[in-house]
Amino acid sequence: MQEISLLNSVIGPVMRGPSSSHCAAPYMMAKLVRELSCSNGEILQNAVVRFDPRGSFAPCYKAQSSDENFAAGLAGAKLTDADYRDILGRVERGEGFQFAIEIVELENNNHPNRVDLELTVVATDGTKRVDLYTGASVGGGMFYIDAMNGQPVFLTGKTATVFVWGPDVGAHADDLGKQLASGGNTLLGVSLDPSHERIEVSLQSLPNGDALSSLREWDGGKISDLRYADASQYPVCATDDLFSTSEAVIAVADGQEGGSIADAALVLEAKRLGRSREATRALFRERCELMLRVVAEGFDAKPEDNVMRFLTLRARKVRDANLPGGLGGPVLQDAIAGALSAMERDSNRGLVCAAPTAGSAGVVPGTLYGLIRHGIDIEGATDALQVMALIGAVFAARGTFAAECGGCSVETGASAAMAAAGVAQAYGGDAKQCFDAASMCLMNTLGLVCDPVGGDVEIPCHARNVAGVSHAFSSAMAVLAGFDAVLGYDELVDQTVKIGAMMHPDLRCTARGGCAATKTALRMVEAASQGG
């Protein structure tokens, strides 16, 4: 079973904050568990989020605004809410509900981004209940919830989910699933847990209120409990293995008229989401336009709105600089400036798109901005984005986007590979050339550490995005000019993952090694902590 979606997992999610692992996933996890616990009109009274001291959340959750995103998700906020960043302060004061973060040893700590969430809710009859959820953020905004009050589950937010408890529900699971899918909804699966007298129904969208009310009265009221949560992103309707090898992806491209890898991406994502090709293309174009809008908003940012601890706004200055003739060229200069603009928006907690992570959220939008400013129209840019997403999906299928597991090589290394393939596509490259350009990027970023100064996604993250854009264009240029990458993309993804696992934990997003451990960095962090 494979749930990787190009729009959800690779050029997404749309989010707020500097880290998809530490911001996007926390928001979606918190929102999901709140919906489950408050399905029957309960009111959230208290929420405690627990991190293990040996994990990656503990040292970075404040600097990377994980607490802000957990709080917003638990409040049921929308990403576009104007007061999104104010929610944490309010709930810490006990307004709406009590909220706290605790650093304690977790019983299950098999992933650097493990988290426990304890919710106390008040039912409509005034009684209180405590729900405990456990789960992990696994990179690129992807996550799972693997236990709910001690019962095993596996929730990823990729479908709408309805849990039904009752003594006879197992015997009528298929009928109950069909009942919930009535009215044009798509039933994606029904699973049974006889030991807990529970069924889980996965749907493309949540049933309407009438369908849920009818279910509560099923068979004279034999339903003992009912809980549900909507999908966090576009619901996944097909779990076929679509992206595990570049060879399989190229075969799909060869089957399209003209052998287009961009068309292959469209075909595969339409299958994944259960949508028409036309509807899926519209989603890709919307995502492309969103990325370009993020870049534009970054250029328009005012110095007084900057909340970065270490950097000032430089994207517009880089874009407008009068560089010596022949140095880099205008396409690359605009792409670099675009990458900085998106990262400045990201670090200032603006709405951005992880591509594939927030720490590398500048490479793909910056590359698209450079293309669109120099002769590639919006349709061509959308084609390039589809290719970028497809290359990222193969990476995700074989590895991870979590810097906590693989260092920066799985963030800006992966995003540079994606962007390189998109540039090759935009300038006429075939499927093999797109993968070769991506391969060049990976072979040159093997072992790249993740070492954010002070835990903030600023230094060296913004500079790494500049390098990622430059790497993408140079790799595409070399391949289109006749250079042969020789080493296959799949093999290089596998080696990226293996080397990441070999890295010392201090080099994987803990702010304890690399650039973060330099004397200058330590002085800067100390000065910032003292308000200097």
Side-chain angles (χ1 to χ4, degrees), residues 21-330:
S21 294
H22 291 168
C23 300
Y27 167 75
M28 289 187 284
M29 293 171 79
K31 191 169 183 291
L32 187 152
V33 300
R34 178 188 185 276
E35 289 180 16
L36 287 173
S37 287
C38 299
S39 296
N40 302 294
E42 296 93 337
I43 302 297
L44 179 61
Q45 183 182 69
N46 186 58
V48 180
V49 178
R50 298 189 175 99
F51 306 137
D52 194 284
R54 295 165 295 174
S56 61
F57 271 120
C60 297
Y61 77 88
K62 283 188 176 294
Q64 297 191 3
S65 70
S66 305
D67 48 358
E68 196 171 281
N69 281 278
F70 274 115
L74 288 165
K78 296 180 180 178
L79 286 165
T80 52
D81 286 352
D83 65 344
Y84 189 95
R85 299 204 62 212
D86 300 328
I87 293 170
L88 175 63
R90 292 203 299 265
V91 298
E92 285 182 329
R93 295 190 296 270
E95 298 176 19
F97 60 91
Q98 298 283 339
F99 175 81
I101 299 258
E102 294 181 357
I103 310 297
V104 296
E105 289 205 10
L106 302 183
E107 183 177 343
N108 186 344
N109 188 34
N110 61 356
H111 190 284
N113 287 336
R114 288 295 301 196
V115 59
D116 287 2
L117 299 103
E118 182 181 284
L119 276 60
T120 302
V121 297
V122 181
T124 54
D125 62 2
T127 59
K128 292 184 180 180
R129 184 184 76 239
V130 177
D131 290 334
L132 179 63
Y133 302 89
T134 68
S137 163
V138 294
M142 293 180 280
F143 69 90
Y144 60 77
I145 302 292
D146 58 1
M148 174 173 58
N149 293 327
Q151 297 184 19
V153 296
F154 191 74
L155 303 173
T156 62
K158 300 293 176 61
T159 69
T161 302
V162 180
F163 286 105
V164 186
W165 284 265
D168 297 320
V169 294
H172 301 276
D174 290 338
D175 291 338
L176 290 171
K178 291 175 183 177
Q179 179 179 330
L180 287 169
S182 61
N185 203 345
T186 301
L187 179 63
L188 301 176
V190 179
S191 62
L192 284 68
D193 183 351
S195 62
H196 295 102
E197 296 185 326
R198 184 193 79 196
I199 67 169
E200 177 185 348
V201 182
S202 300
L203 301 149
Q204 190 168 24
S205 59
L206 276 181
N208 60 35
D210 290 341
L212 292 169
S213 296
S214 175
L215 183 62
R216 287 188 175 94
E217 302 304 320
W218 175 78
D219 200 16
K222 288 186 177 180
I223 301 298
S224 59
D225 198 3
L226 177 68
R227 301 194 195 183
Y228 48 87
D230 208 350
S232 303
Q233 299 174 295
Y234 298 122
V236 168
C237 294
T239 55
D240 308 51
D241 186 343
L242 303 180
F243 304 118
S244 289
T245 69
S246 56
E247 181 181 7
V249 167
I250 291 174
V252 174
D254 289 342
Q256 307 305 307
E257 186 176 348
S260 168
I261 194 171
D263 283 346
L266 192 59
V267 167
L268 292 170
E269 184 69 351
K271 181 176 183 179
R272 180 69 89 215
L273 301 184
R275 297 172 183 249
S276 68
R277 290 183 60 173
E278 293 74 17
T280 307
R281 173 67 175 189
L283 294 177
F284 274 113
R285 177 163 174 158
E286 287 175 10
R287 190 61 54 87
C288 185
E289 291 171 341
L290 171 64
M291 290 183 172
L292 294 170
R293 187 163 65 251
V294 167
V295 171
E297 290 171 353
F299 285 135
D300 290 339
K302 298 177 174 58
E304 58 267 28
D305 296 328
N306 181 41
V307 298
M308 292 188 287
R309 286 208 295 170
F310 307 120
L311 296 178
T312 56
L313 302 177
R314 294 298 178 93
R316 189 165 56 224
K317 182 176 182 179
V318 171
R319 183 194 63 185
D320 298 338
N322 187 17
L323 294 173
L327 179 61

Side-chain angles (χ1 to χ4, degrees), residues 375-419:
I376 304 299
D377 62 15
I378 189 64
E379 297 301 327
T382 302
D383 285 343
L385 181 60
Q386 290 171 195
V387 172
M388 295 175 186
L390 191 54
I391 268 59
V394 176
F395 193 104
R398 306 182 72 89
T400 176
F401 294 136
E404 301 81 9
C405 298
C408 199
S409 53
V410 304
E411 290 205 36
T412 56
S415 62
M418 292 162 55

Side-chain angles (χ1 to χ4, degrees), residues 442-466:
L442 292 189
M443 71 175 69
N444 293 327
T445 54
L446 285 174
L448 184 61
V449 304
C450 179
D451 48 351
V453 172
D456 294 76
V457 183
E458 297 179 28
I459 303 170
C461 312
H462 289 218
R464 293 263 172 85
N465 278 256
V466 169

Side-chain angles (χ1 to χ4, degrees), residues 395 400 405-411 413-414 442-443 445-447 489-503:
F395 193 104
T400 176
C405 298
C408 199
S409 53
V410 304
E411 290 205 36
L442 292 189
M443 71 175 69
T445 54
L446 285 174
Y489 182 75
D490 296 4
E491 293 178 288
L492 288 164
V493 173
D494 295 345
Q495 289 303 311
T496 297
V497 173
K498 288 180 182 178
I499 292 172
M502 295 177 188
M503 285 183 191

